[in-house]
Amino acid sequence: CLENTDPRLRGRGIQLLSQVLLQCYSLLQEKEVLHLVLFYENRLQDHHLVIPSVLQGLRALSMCEVLSPGLAVSVLKAIFQEVHVQSLLQLDRHTVYSIITNFMGTREEELKGLGADFTFGFIQVMDGEKDPRNLLVAFQIVHDLITKNYALGPFVEELFEVTSCYFPIDFTPPPNDPHGIQREDLILSLRAVLASTPQFAEFLLPLLIEKMDSDLQSAKLDSLQTLTACCAIYGQKELQEFLPSLWSSLRREVFQTASEKVEAECLAALHALSACLSRSVLSSDTEDLLDSFLSSILQDCRHHLCEPDMKLVWPSAKLLQAAAGASLRAYHHVTRSVLPLLLEQYTKHPQSSQRRTILEMLLGFLELQQKWGHVEEDESALLSLQAPFCSVVFSALTDPSVQLQLVGIRALTVLGSLQGFLSPSDLELVVDHLIRLSLREEDSQSSEAAMEAAGSLAPIYPKVFSGRMVPRLEEELQSGRAEREEESSCDHRSLRQRCLQALAAVSIHTSIVRETVPVLLQHLRKVQKGSEAGSAQDMVSVCQSLHRVALQCQQDAEGCWYYHQTVVPCLLAMAVQAAMQESTHPLLGKALLEEEVLAAMVPVISAATTHLSPELAAQSVSHVVPLFLDGEVSFLPQNSFPCSFQPFEDGECLEAQRRLVILLMAFVCSLPRNVAIPQQERLLRELLALSCSCNCPFTATTAAKCFAGLVNKHPAGQQLDEILQLAVNRMEPGLAEGPRRTQALTLLLWVTKALVLRYHPLSSRLTDKLLGLLGDAELGPAAADGFSLLMAESPDVLHKGCHADVRIMFRQRFFTDNVPKLVQGFHRAGPDVKANYLKGLSHVLNHLPKPVLVTELPTLLSLLLEALSCSDRVVQLSTLSCLQPLLLEAPQIMSLHVDTLVTKFLSLTSSPTMAVRIAALRCAHALTSLPTTVLLPYKARVIRALAKPLDDKKRLVRKEAVAARGEW
């Protein structure tokens, strides 16, 4: 074939040889490669039908490692001379680019020996390329030519022309494009070329200025982003000639554009220009271009800041901030001129809205100063303006406008964060303002913002806050002014609550925590002793503040231990005292034993314990466990109690003491897993007995949760197996009959959850027991709700935050093991208990990750639709909340059942339960994400049906109806 006179046959011969070489190029020897290269180079002069196969052969040879020196140059010269690349098909042009890429990767020094001839040869190869697949490769080659310092010689402009002709990219990929090339790929690839060398600057900058003035938004954006990229490698020399035109274009766009994207890119480009000029090193005879550039910006923007209508104030401020933010030098130049002017304007404009605008601009400049940290005395315009700045900010804090106050608080926070800016007297004023806003300001937004600001500034000035703010807040709580406050419109409790919140907010630094924690605990004691109505709510407020402080202490070991050894014994002592008084004087200390107060103490003790080091946790556990097991009260403060503490003993009078097991749960279930618990087996047995025998549901539940929390972390082995067997032996008779079936079910649920989380083998046996209870007429509904408990995140025990043993994907595993059994049970169950199976199923599905649910949807959808017909509103709600995301995530499957879905959803929009009506309307809304062709037959019917809930008596229902009907 290779010697045949027919070019088609010759081509087939070369094609076969090239295909063989592509398979075995790595096995060739140097002499063979030399021989083949000479043959293929010669073939480049052959008939045009032969050329594609020749190029494939050369591509194979370009990957050979044994290529003799000089051959790469020889091949490329032959291609440049003999082949008119742009007349070839796309694939063959791509082959040429691949040959060049291969040689550039392995024979760089040889190719550089060609000098500028290589660059010129490539320009000829690429000139006129149109296919995006080839352009991506060609752009990469140009980028490598420049960044790897190949000689460009006199061909810089030609190389620029051959690439810049594609700017800006306007490629739109065809639908179902198998190559997956996106417009963004080409844009970024071309930008990398254009912004790779300062040598292109004189040609590129005029092009960018021209495209910035284009009517096409995409062209504007591309030009601005390319300019920003170029500034990273340009210096003054490249930019000097074009600065006036660039500034003119950027200014016009920011002043006139309606597009936020264009404005943002203009500001980014201006910032990059300013940064580029800031980097340039000045020699004695050169003009400071940064200085003149910023002066022209100030000249064009400054007067807009003084216009009475304030029309172009924001665009001007944004431009000035973008330029000033580039460097400290730029910042000083701009702020020297602008800050005094803005401060003057603030006093000139009396209206709150205008003052707010001016203060927000000042805030923008202040936030830029934060980037450079400490205020330099000689340079900064800020220090010379300290007094007017503070005056403006303090006036904003006393203004009646809430919006102006909020900006003032933000400005105060930034001023405070600038080390060395505020004088001691200013700092005292700052604290006074924050106290006033936190406690006395009627608007909750200002009050919350002031507390947040106090929290930000307290770690910077701990002495000022602990010496001035904490005593003032303590005074508010202690002096009774909180009760006597007449002039404030805040009611007494609200004021007291704000004091507590403010104390928590500033407790960021350990030295402040040492001041605030005793105040909070003292107030808790005071509330406990008082017997006024609502004292339970006050105790909950104190506990919420203590919890916030605990969370803020967790990362600081010293603060965490101080908090733990101060707060935990104190809370335990107060609770024990109250429980003993309850036994002897039933009216005293009653509020502390209410469920909501004890529940509020749980997160306090838990947060104080989870981050302890193992050594300190062991020290603490050696006191707390003996307290509950043996009544060992010696470590508690004020420990002279009227009788002994025996929460695990029998007796009516000890009911109050038994309630305190919840505090034991909060402590032991939050310990790190590697902390040994003294007398653990005895403790587990006591908890087990209490959970099964106690008549009080609150105590029985907390004992069950505490037992489950300990079992979850218990090391595997014989001891664990024995305690679990004991639990099963107690549960089974309790579940079968008797007055305490509910307690036995609660224990079963919590122990099952503890074991499911850690993949314990016994968990499947206990889950089967739970499934069996779904058919029980008395316990069935509660057992069904138990599936929610098994799958949901528990707030106080058995979660990762308290070091529980939680395996990944336990929900998926539970689903796989148990949903088939639920479905089977549903089909076998009698009509009176079918709802229990549906409820259990909907709870499991509700907590399952949506991607898993979508894959299982086809098999479960008919059951879910049946669940909507169930009369139990919990089942209806669970099912609706399960279906709503599926409508969005699996439209194809849901479309098959659209008729049933529409009917069910519309009928539930008139349910007697508000929550069900809202959920049904949300689902009707979500239906609109299905394909339009599926929905059109139902459109008129749905719109008619959704007119009725527009008149619903509940506003939240009407709101959902408006949204759903509008979408239809």
Side-chain angles (χ1 to χ4, degrees), residues 502-729:
L503 281 166
V506 295
S507 303
I508 303 284
H509 193 275
T510 305
S511 65
I512 304 175
V513 171
R514 288 177 183 274
E515 303 290 330
T516 54
V517 165
V519 174
L520 289 168
L521 293 174
Q522 183 57 38
H523 183 65
L524 189 60
R525 288 192 197 97
K526 181 183 161 192
V527 177
Q528 184 193 4
K529 283 172 187 163
S531 54
E532 63 196 83
S535 60
Q537 188 49 52
D538 286 341
M539 287 183 171
V540 170
S541 298
V542 181
C543 289
Q544 286 167 344
S545 289
L546 283 168
H547 180 229
R548 181 172 174 183
V549 179
L551 293 175
Q552 288 162 189
C553 286
Q554 281 180 341
Q555 301 312 317
D556 172 49
E558 183 197 343
C560 185
W561 178 234
Y562 164 78
Y563 182 92
H564 181 88
Q565 62 179 1
T566 308
V567 174
V568 174
C570 180
L571 291 182
L572 289 172
M574 288 167 68
V576 170
Q577 180 83 40
M580 289 180 179
Q581 284 173 341
E582 175 78 3
S583 316
T584 51
H585 308 84
L587 290 173
L588 283 173
K590 187 130 182 148
L592 194 68
L593 299 172
E594 287 186 24
E595 286 182 22
E596 61 174 328
V597 178
L598 289 171
M601 286 185 180
V602 168
V604 179
I605 294 174
S606 182
T609 308
T610 51
H611 283 64
L612 287 181
S613 68
E615 301 76 37
L616 294 174
Q619 194 178 321
S620 192
V621 77
S622 67
H623 296 306
V624 177
V625 172
L627 167 69
F628 281 85
L629 287 178
D630 307 314
E632 182 56 64
V633 294
S634 57
F635 83 103
L636 297 178
Q638 301 159 352
N639 54 17
S640 54
F641 299 119
C643 58
S644 58
F645 181 58
Q646 301 166 313
F648 290 115
E649 295 295 319
D650 291 333
E652 285 273 325
C653 62
L654 297 176
E655 183 52 55
Q657 293 189 17
R658 283 198 281 273
R659 294 169 81 79
L660 302 194
V661 169
I662 193 169
L663 304 183
L664 172 68
M665 174 198 83
F667 176 78
V668 293
C669 292
S670 303
L671 291 167
R673 259 188 270 175
N674 54 357
V675 175
I677 296 171
Q679 308 181 65
Q680 184 168 9
E681 306 312 313
R682 180 184 161 198
L683 179 60
L684 283 165
R685 288 167 192 274
E686 296 284 14
L687 288 165
L688 183 58
L690 187 60
S691 67
C692 294
S693 61
C694 183
N695 291 322
C696 168
F698 175 78
T699 305
T701 303
T702 50
K705 284 163 79 169
C706 189
F707 180 80
L710 292 172
V711 159
N712 172 266
K713 294 183 195 175
H714 198 298
Q718 189 184 348
Q719 282 185 321
L720 177 62
D721 295 342
E722 284 173 8
I723 206 78
L724 287 174
Q725 190 54 52
L726 193 64
V728 171
N729 295 345

Side-chain angles (χ1 to χ4, degrees), residues 98-162:
S98 298
I99 294 168
I100 295 171
T101 303
N102 291 341
F103 283 146
M104 286 178 78
T106 57
R107 310 281 154 169
E108 186 177 320
E109 291 311 315
E110 285 181 41
L111 300 193
K112 283 182 177 175
L114 271 173
D117 290 349
F118 177 53
T119 305
F120 180 65
F122 177 71
I123 290 169
Q124 286 180 305
V125 166
M126 183 184 169
D127 195 5
E129 181 58 70
K130 289 188 175 61
D131 191 279
R133 291 164 287 180
N134 291 350
L135 282 173
L136 278 178
V137 188
F139 290 156
Q140 187 57 51
I141 292 172
V142 179
H143 185 261
D144 289 346
L145 275 175
I146 295 165
T147 55
K148 292 181 177 174
N149 298 317
Y150 283 79
L152 305 185
F155 303 116
V156 174
E157 188 171 359
E158 284 79 358
L159 190 61
F160 173 77
E161 290 297 337
V162 84

Side-chain angles (χ1 to χ4, degrees), residues 438-449:
S438 298
L439 304 185
R440 302 274 181 269
E441 184 51 53
E442 287 180 35
D443 186 86
S444 63
Q445 269 183 296
S446 292
S447 173
E448 285 165 18

Side-chain angles (χ1 to χ4, degrees), residues 123-397:
I123 290 169
Q124 286 180 305
V125 166
M126 183 184 169
D127 195 5
E129 181 58 70
K130 289 188 175 61
D131 191 279
R133 291 164 287 180
N134 291 350
L135 282 173
L136 278 178
V137 188
F139 290 156
Q140 187 57 51
I141 292 172
V142 179
H143 185 261
D144 289 346
L145 275 175
I146 295 165
T147 55
K148 292 181 177 174
N149 298 317
Y150 283 79
L152 305 185
F155 303 116
V156 174
E157 188 171 359
E158 284 79 358
L159 190 61
F160 173 77
E161 290 297 337
V162 84
T163 48
S164 65
C165 61
Y166 302 101
F167 184 86
I169 299 280
D170 60 354
F171 165 70
T172 307
N176 306 321
D177 177 23
H179 309 292
I181 293 175
Q182 298 299 315
R183 182 167 170 266
E184 194 63 21
D185 301 332
L186 288 164
I187 288 173
L188 294 174
S189 193
L190 176 57
R191 186 177 301 151
V193 170
L194 297 177
S196 61
T197 173
Q199 293 180 72
F200 283 170
E202 60 180 306
F203 317 113
L204 177 59
L205 289 172
L207 175 67
L208 293 179
I209 292 165
E210 177 197 327
K211 298 300 179 187
M212 272 187 231
D213 302 342
S214 154
D215 294 332
L216 276 174
Q217 181 172 317
S218 59
K220 284 186 199 291
L221 290 171
D222 202 352
S223 305
L224 291 162
Q225 287 164 348
T226 305
L227 174 61
T228 303
C230 290
C231 287
I233 61 155
Y234 287 3
Q236 311 211 130
K237 182 163 64 76
E238 286 78 25
L239 291 173
Q240 184 163 9
E241 182 189 339
F242 304 100
L243 281 174
S245 310
L246 286 167
W247 163 238
S248 167
S249 297
L250 292 171
R251 181 190 63 212
R252 188 191 62 251
E253 285 302 330
V254 173
F255 281 165
Q256 294 176 5
T257 186
S259 160
E260 285 184 17
K261 277 186 186 171
V262 172
E263 183 188 86
E265 292 301 341
C266 283
L267 296 173
L270 181 60
H271 180 92
L273 281 169
S274 181
C276 177
L277 297 174
S278 301
R279 278 196 307 270
S280 299
V281 178
L282 297 175
S283 56
S284 54
D285 56 340
T286 54
E287 178 195 357
D288 184 353
L289 272 186
L290 176 67
D291 207 56
S292 53
F293 182 59
L294 294 174
S295 297
S296 60
I297 295 174
L298 282 164
Q299 189 183 337
D300 288 344
C301 293
R302 201 170 178 273
H303 62 278
H304 291 306
L305 302 179
C306 309
E307 288 170 358
D309 60 357
M310 300 183 81
K311 200 172 177 182
L312 289 174
V313 159
W314 262 122
S316 302
K318 285 177 180 174
L319 286 165
L320 288 164
Q321 284 168 7
S327 69
L328 197 51
R329 194 151 63 98
Y331 179 76
H332 290 320
H333 186 114
V334 173
T335 51
R336 267 199 306 272
S337 171
V338 172
L339 292 184
L341 183 69
L342 287 173
L343 290 165
E344 186 189 324
Q345 290 301 305
Y346 184 91
T347 50
K348 276 188 184 174
H349 288 282
Q351 287 182 338
S352 294
S353 59
Q354 293 174 322
R355 286 187 156 194
R356 177 187 160 201
T357 302
I358 294 165
L359 189 54
E360 280 185 326
M361 287 188 282
L362 282 165
L363 179 61
F365 284 106
L366 283 177
E367 285 169 339
L368 290 178
Q369 171 71 56
Q370 275 185 307
K371 281 167 63 173
W372 293 287
H374 193 74
V375 183
E376 296 292 338
E377 289 196 23
D378 53 338
E379 295 244 9
S380 178
L382 267 181
L383 276 182
S384 59
L385 299 167
Q386 185 180 5
F389 241 122
C390 289
S391 162
V392 160
V393 172
F394 293 154
S395 84
L397 297 177

